[in-house]
Amino acid sequence: AEYLLAHTCRTIPRETIHIPSPDTVETIWVPSDRNAQTLRSLQSLLGHGRLAGTGYLSILPVDQGIEHSAGASFAPNPAYFDPEQIVRLAIEGGCNAVASTFGVLGSVARRYAHKIPFVVKINHNELLSYPNAYDQILFGTVEEAWRMGAVAVGATISFGSAESRRQLTEIAAAFEHAHDLGMATILWCYLRNNEFKKDGIDYHAAADLTGQANRLGVTIKADIVKQKLPTNNGGFKAIHFGKTDERMYTELTTDHPIDLCRYQVANSYMGRVGLINSGGESHGASDLKDAVYTAVVNKRAGGMGLISGRKAFQRPMKDGVELLHTIQDVYLDPGITIA
């Protein structure tokens, strides 16, 4: 607790960060080129659930039935093969929104789209083809998400992959159309390249690489970026590519997790575009501790919240609700401040 709660960030000052607040839409997005309907959609996301009116987000994402196979994802709790149980978990868990596939949300849209904001994930990594291709492909249209009452669309770009340039142009066009229709946009700014592992170290969650992925994401006008919590740094230097400045590693970051996450926030237009970190995979008994750790790091770095799926739905609903509430309690706690 001392390591995280007493830390003072001496790299990128807190005074330069746009900290999430009750008037985030008014101060950040009203001056932008987002239209009135998109502003309303952003306010809908920020105005729902236990975190309503705080500027923070807690989202339940369940697209693992495609990304990791339904059997592997739902075997720990087969109830979640049923889309209605997914939406019920998000509602009972006090989430701002539920993010899932066209099929999941479309199957219950008339019953629930007016009860909790829908975020439709429009592309996925389809893993049934053999050999696996690891490519994010569109599964539907932006209009389809709009017709089912979604307030936002989400998408993944696998930066660093051979397909990333096609995904970049594809999703940029989709986000433009979503904004025209008045929906908000959330981008999963993930990295995928086998060469990002060097000398036994995995740099897929390196602060410098994930920070640049965030920068690309906000450039195509994502309103919110989702990123893995950084676990190390120096990906550019280890892999020997890209352009760097040594001050990236000596002045703008340290090895403290809050400082590494602060660098991600800085690359998201100094927090103008909210950073939500991923809750990650379930490890069983340590899930509650891991989720609270991630939430504290994200909040103290200047992030906007947490998106946690497997830790919540791969357990009984009562326990999943408790985990989501505990994450939200971090953002509701006034004693946990920006570092």
Side-chain angles (χ1 to χ4, degrees), residues 41 44-45 48 95-99 112-119 149-151:
S41 293
S44 295
L45 284 171
H48 192 84
C95 293
N96 297 74
V98 57
Y112 290 108
H114 59 294
K115 295 182 179 179
I116 184 171
F118 278 12
V119 179
V151 303

Side-chain angles (χ1 to χ4, degrees), residues 197-264:
K197 298 178 181 179
K198 192 80 169 178
D199 300 326
I201 301 174
D202 190 347
Y203 290 101
H204 281 89
D208 55 351
L209 299 186
T210 55
Q212 184 61 21
N214 286 4
R215 192 69 180 187
L216 294 175
V218 298
T219 300
I220 64 169
K221 298 171 74 170
D223 301 318
I224 299 162
V225 292
K226 178 194 175 191
Q227 186 56 267
K228 294 180 180 179
L229 197 70
T231 56
N232 55 36
N233 205 357
F236 279 124
K237 295 198 294 184
I239 302 162
H240 304 296
F241 83 116
K243 293 185 180 296
T244 62
D245 184 308
E246 192 58 29
R247 287 169 291 191
M248 292 166 56
Y249 309 102
T250 59
E251 297 180 18
L252 300 182
T253 56
T254 71
D255 60 358
H256 195 285
I258 292 173
D259 294 344
L260 294 175
C261 190
R262 174 67 56 86
Y263 187 73
Q264 291 181 338

Side-chain angles (χ1 to χ4, degrees), residues 164-334:
S164 63
R165 289 171 180 164
R166 189 209 79 241
Q167 295 168 15
L168 187 64
T169 55
E170 202 169 67
I171 300 307
F175 278 9
E176 179 187 18
H177 192 31
H179 281 146
D180 286 343
L181 293 174
M183 290 186 287
T185 58
I186 305 176
L187 187 65
W188 278 239
C189 296
Y190 284 178
L191 300 171
R192 179 177 289 281
N193 191 313
N194 289 334
E195 298 301 318
F196 288 176
K197 298 178 181 179
K198 192 80 169 178
D199 300 326
I201 301 174
D202 190 347
Y203 290 101
H204 281 89
D208 55 351
L209 299 186
T210 55
Q212 184 61 21
N214 286 4
R215 192 69 180 187
L216 294 175
V218 298
T219 300
I220 64 169
K221 298 171 74 170
D223 301 318
I224 299 162
V225 292
K226 178 194 175 191
Q227 186 56 267
K228 294 180 180 179
L229 197 70
T231 56
N232 55 36
N233 205 357
F236 279 124
K237 295 198 294 184
I239 302 162
H240 304 296
F241 83 116
K243 293 185 180 296
T244 62
D245 184 308
E246 192 58 29
R247 287 169 291 191
M248 292 166 56
Y249 309 102
T250 59
E251 297 180 18
L252 300 182
T253 56
T254 71
D255 60 358
H256 195 285
I258 292 173
D259 294 344
L260 294 175
C261 190
R262 174 67 56 86
Y263 187 73
Q264 291 181 338
V265 172
N267 275 280
S268 305
Y269 293 160
M270 284 296 198
R272 285 181 181 271
V273 176
L275 167 69
I276 52 177
N277 285 119
S278 169
E281 63 183 298
S282 174
H283 294 108
S286 68
D287 281 354
L288 196 64
K289 177 191 72 174
D290 295 342
V292 169
Y293 174 95
T294 304
V296 170
V297 170
N298 172 271
K299 184 180 183 183
R300 299 215 68 218
M304 195 180 205
L306 215 59
I307 186 163
S308 188
R310 283 169 285 175
K311 283 182 169 62
F313 71 74
Q314 290 185 335
R315 53 188 4 100
M317 182 171 288
K318 176 178 177 294
D319 297 338
V321 167
E322 179 186 1
L323 184 138
L324 291 169
H325 283 181
T326 304
I327 290 170
Q328 293 153 13
D329 287 345
V330 170
Y331 294 97
L332 292 170
D333 188 341

Side-chain angles (χ1 to χ4, degrees), residues 126-188:
E126 178 273 306
L127 287 178
L128 191 57
S129 56
Y130 185 83
N132 292 155
Y134 298 107
D135 186 13
Q136 295 287 337
I137 57 174
L138 291 170
F139 269 55
T141 65
V142 171
E143 286 90 347
E144 190 178 352
W146 177 77
R147 283 195 299 270
M148 77 168 69
V151 303
V153 295
T156 298
I157 295 177
S158 299
F159 291 110
S161 69
E163 301 81 14
S164 63
R165 289 171 180 164
R166 189 209 79 241
Q167 295 168 15
L168 187 64
T169 55
E170 202 169 67
I171 300 307
F175 278 9
E176 179 187 18
H177 192 31
H179 281 146
D180 286 343
L181 293 174
M183 290 186 287
T185 58
I186 305 176
L187 187 65
W188 278 239

